[in-house]
Amino acid sequence: MLVARIVSSVLALAAAGLSATYAADISGTWVAKTENSMMGEVEYVYELKVDASGKITGSQRLPFGDSPILDGKINGNEFELTVQQEFFGNLSNVTVKGTIEGETLKITPPGPGGGGPGRGRGNGPGAGPGFPPDGPPPGGAGAPGPPPVGPGGRGRGGFASGPLTFRRGTPTPSYRGPSVDYAALPKVELPLRRTVSSNGLAKTPPMGWNSWNRFRTQISDKTVREIADAMVSSGMKAAGYEYINIDDGWQWKRDGEGNIVPNPNFPDMKALAYYVHSKGLKLGIYSSPGPRTCGGYEGSYGHDEQDAKTYAQWGIDYLKYDWCSASRIWKDEDMPAAYQKMGEAIRAAGRPIVYSLCQYGRFKVQEWGPIVSGNLWRTTGDIRDAWESMANIGFSQSDLSASASPGHWNDPDMLEIGNGRMSATEYSTHFSLWAMLSAPLIAGNDIRSMTPEIRDILMNREVIAIDQDKLGKAARRVSKDGDTEIWVRPLSGDAYAVGLFNRGTADAHIAVKWDALEIPGNPRVRDLWSHKDLGRKPYGFDAAVAPHGVVLIRVSN
Ligand code: GLA
């Protein structure tokens, strides 16, 4: 047995030595597929070019984005690639190692953050969304099964964690754009900084739905119409939800005149907008200031004005503009001018379009977002449907409270309520916290098939009224004691919303004195989840709060 092993090792060594003398040509397109419980079949592609000196360049095309291969070399049957990855605005050079094994390549693709699989980095104030290994929903509230997400997502786990076997082949056709040669891109001049006139929209935080959290890039005209129908039939429209926002994955290519062409899943955007408008709702769309979106689709680089006109012509009412590949072209300090460019283009196009900035809270966006006519700006990396992700983001927003005002909102990302990986208690906390923060309430679940429990959370009108309060002041944390936190938000009419949050895993009793919140008098208290008036409370209020739960009250005179 031992002898056999030694013999085979010697043979292997000899084989390795032999191949070292002939530099293999691994130029070409290499494809690997793997099954993933959350994303279904996912495809990994390496497009490699080996030049006469043996240097490897090309591109890496993973489910969460395309990355140029800046350098690489072959040594015997081993090779190494330097891949420039982007992750929520951070660029990093990652070394990817592989081996040549017969007609195949064995490569371990890197995780989205450039680290190993499952070790993503967060952005923004204290938010660390991360990329944990995937798994089935732990019996959370409201979703019948795992979301039918497809490739193109970088906001979830679910990528290879070991070496994959790549074969020469043709990637599955998709509507994503071809890989970009960033060095050869024509330069786009950014405008001189100036204040873009306000569009006067979003006097209260936008409310609506977005396709990304649940559907990733698996979206179509049909789904969007059905969601619009459900928005009306479920009562969500009557509760205040208005925007139906198409996220990444609607794009295809540019025509001869450079106009953006939607992919065949969206045969007629104008007709879709007409349909959505006929329901009394509004339609939103998504693009990037860079040449590619985060999912690898055609972005608006060099086409801002043209795309803004197209959106206006289609009847689009909301644009989410996502930085992603722009970080391969510009620096963070160029962000204000890059977002101003589209802000001006939208204003010039003449249609009222809510402008949603998505650059993960980088470069103090809350300071210049309003100046570029932004109505809302993301403050963190992507949310996931998990308590830790939601809580890390939501409870880290206190310092930003002064930046919210009518027309200008901090956006801690879209709601995960009803996607199945949190409990109803946790989703109620999610909703309460977002309402306290005066955050946009953009549902991210399949509202065509909601359980009554999820419906009751998303349509709690008393909590929605807090979010939509016309004073437009966001909550701040007034105290933190171990796992419990008390937040207060001033409301119009000399009222206040007070949230008693329990972030821990054991029951908690939380008490608050009006003095500490600077709330005067002997106010009346109403519980916004039990929908009960609790009478006047002279000095303060206290309540038992469930693990991961909240007691949300309205305090008024
Ligand atoms: C980024 C954004 C997400 C989503 C995806 C689409 O990750 O932060 O909200 O729009 O891109 O690819």
Side-chain angles (χ1 to χ4, degrees), residues 436 476-481 484-489 496-501 508-526 534 536-545 550-556:
M436 289 294 277
R476 65 186 172 86
R477 177 178 26 236
V478 283
S479 67
K480 177 170 167 58
D481 179 10
T484 68
E485 300 192 10
I486 299 171
W487 288 62
V488 65
R489 173 178 173 172
Y496 297 84
V498 177
L500 311 179
F501 293 95
H509 196 91
I510 308 181
V512 59
K513 291 262 179 287
W514 302 142
D515 277 358
L517 307 184
E518 292 167 28
I519 293 179
N522 175 27
R524 282 179 292 155
V525 171
R526 181 168 171 85
L534 304 179
R536 288 195 179 270
K537 304 279 173 191
Y539 308 111
F541 177 75
D542 64 284
V545 187
V550 63
V551 169
L552 187 67
I553 53 173
R554 188 172 193 283
V555 182
S556 62

Side-chain angles (χ1 to χ4, degrees), residues 151-239:
R154 64 177 195 155
R156 302 250 192 198
F159 37 83
S161 56
L164 295 177
T165 302
F166 288 77
R167 297 194 160 75
R168 287 186 189 278
T170 311
T172 307
S174 96
Y175 300 120
R176 299 170 73 195
S179 49
V180 175
D181 181 355
Y182 284 87
L185 274 183
K187 194 167 158 38
V188 166
E189 291 300 330
L190 293 176
L192 289 177
R193 297 288 308 282
R194 69 172 188 94
T195 301
V196 183
S197 64
S198 161
N199 58 24
L201 300 170
K203 289 291 185 216
T204 61
M207 290 179 67
W209 175 90
N210 173 294
S211 51
W212 182 253
N213 282 355
R214 169 77 194 197
F215 294 95
R216 293 295 189 258
T217 56
Q218 310 296 296
I219 47 170
S220 66
D221 175 282
K222 181 170 178 284
T223 313
V224 173
R225 284 175 194 245
E226 288 174 7
I227 293 286
D229 295 346
M231 201 67 131
V232 178
S233 61
S234 65
M236 283 182 77
K237 181 189 168 219

Side-chain angles (χ1 to χ4, degrees), residues 88 152 154-155 212 247-248 286 293-295 320 322 324 358 360 378 382 413-414:
F88 296 120
R154 64 177 195 155
W212 182 253
D247 206 276
D248 209 356
Y286 167 97
T293 63
C294 302
K320 172 173 166 186
D322 194 346
C324 249
C358 179
Y360 336 116
R378 279 274 295 277
D382 287 6
D413 207 357
M414 304 170 291

Side-chain angles (χ1 to χ4, degrees), residues 20-83:
T21 54
Y22 304 99
D25 188 6
I26 57 172
S27 291
T29 302
W30 298 86
V31 182
K33 285 184 184 149
T34 175
E35 275 296 320
N36 175 283
S37 62
M38 270 185 70
M39 299 171 78
E41 187 182 81
V42 292
E43 189 171 70
Y44 297 75
V45 178
Y46 282 86
E47 288 169 357
L48 305 179
K49 287 173 224 155
V50 187
D51 73 11
S53 73
K55 175 178 163 142
I56 313 173
T57 55
S59 71
Q60 168 190 276
R61 317 199 72 194
L62 304 193
F64 41 84
D66 293 354
S67 308
I69 298 169
L70 304 179
D71 197 6
K73 59 176 186 302
I74 307 177
N75 183 9
N77 65 341
E78 294 178 353
F79 61 92
E80 232 176 64
L81 309 171
T82 305
V83 179

Side-chain angles (χ1 to χ4, degrees), residues 394-457:
F395 290 111
S396 70
Q397 304 290 299
S398 185
D399 290 347
L400 291 170
S401 74
S403 308
S405 67
H408 309 295
W409 308 105
N410 297 310
D411 174 8
D413 207 357
M414 304 170 291
L415 302 172
E416 289 283 9
I417 296 162
N419 280 333
R421 288 165 196 264
M422 283 188 252
S423 68
T425 301
E426 291 168 336
Y427 284 142
S428 304
T429 301
H430 184 5
F431 202 58
S432 304
L433 191 47
W434 263 235
M436 289 294 277
L437 296 171
S438 65
L441 296 181
I442 307 291
N445 60 321
D446 188 347
I447 63 171
R448 298 169 303 182
S449 55
M450 280 184 286
T451 62
E453 200 174 37
I454 292 303
R455 204 180 292 239
D456 287 349
I457 297 171

